[in-house]
Amino acid sequence: RFERCKTRRASRLRTAVTTMAVAAGCLETAVVTEDGEVLWWGALVDDDSTEVLHGASLLSPNLVNIAGERAVMVAAGRGHVAIVTEAGCVHTFGLGTDGRLG
């Protein structure tokens, strides 16, 4: 399955924020900023195909809504992202099969 995860090209994150943490999945990337916000971009695909799920594909960073909480950690897998907040809450999004989203 992992042989499909090949780097196509490098890109620069062009924002005026300082990145405190970064997580990269197969086709998605997420960062935690110094303000505790999470930016996400890439594509969410399932394990058995290369089709993008639910039109979820972003070429530039977008803010993830975590209900005003401050993020401290982020992790990314194949088709899903998990965020840990300062209060210890976990937020997930992406492909939810096989218990990936909790």
Side-chain angles (χ1 to χ4, degrees):
R1 294 181 186 189
F2 295 105
E3 62 273 1
R4 290 189 305 221
C5 300
K6 295 179 180 171
T7 302
R8 290 184 173 80
R9 66 180 173 90
S11 61
R12 294 184 71 163
L13 177 60
R14 296 173 194 238
T15 65
V17 299
T18 300
T19 301
M20 303 305 289
V22 63
C26 182
L27 297 173
E28 65 273 356
T29 303
V31 298
V32 176
T33 70
E34 67 181 335
D35 295 329
E37 295 179 321
V38 177
L39 300 173
W40 173 84
W41 66 99
L44 300 175
V45 298
D46 68 23
D47 282 338
D48 298 320
S49 74
T50 56
E51 291 186 36
V52 175
L53 299 174
H54 312 294
S57 180
L58 301 170
L59 298 179
S60 60
N62 283 311
L63 187 64
V64 177
N65 180 0
I66 54 172
E69 295 184 64
R70 183 179 178 83
V72 293
M73 293 172 47
V74 65
R78 183 164 174 82
H80 61 285
V81 175
I83 302 162
V84 178
T85 69
E86 202 169 51
C89 295
V90 176
H91 298 270
T92 60
F93 66 93
L95 179 65
T97 59
D98 301 322
R100 294 178 205 195
L101 300 183

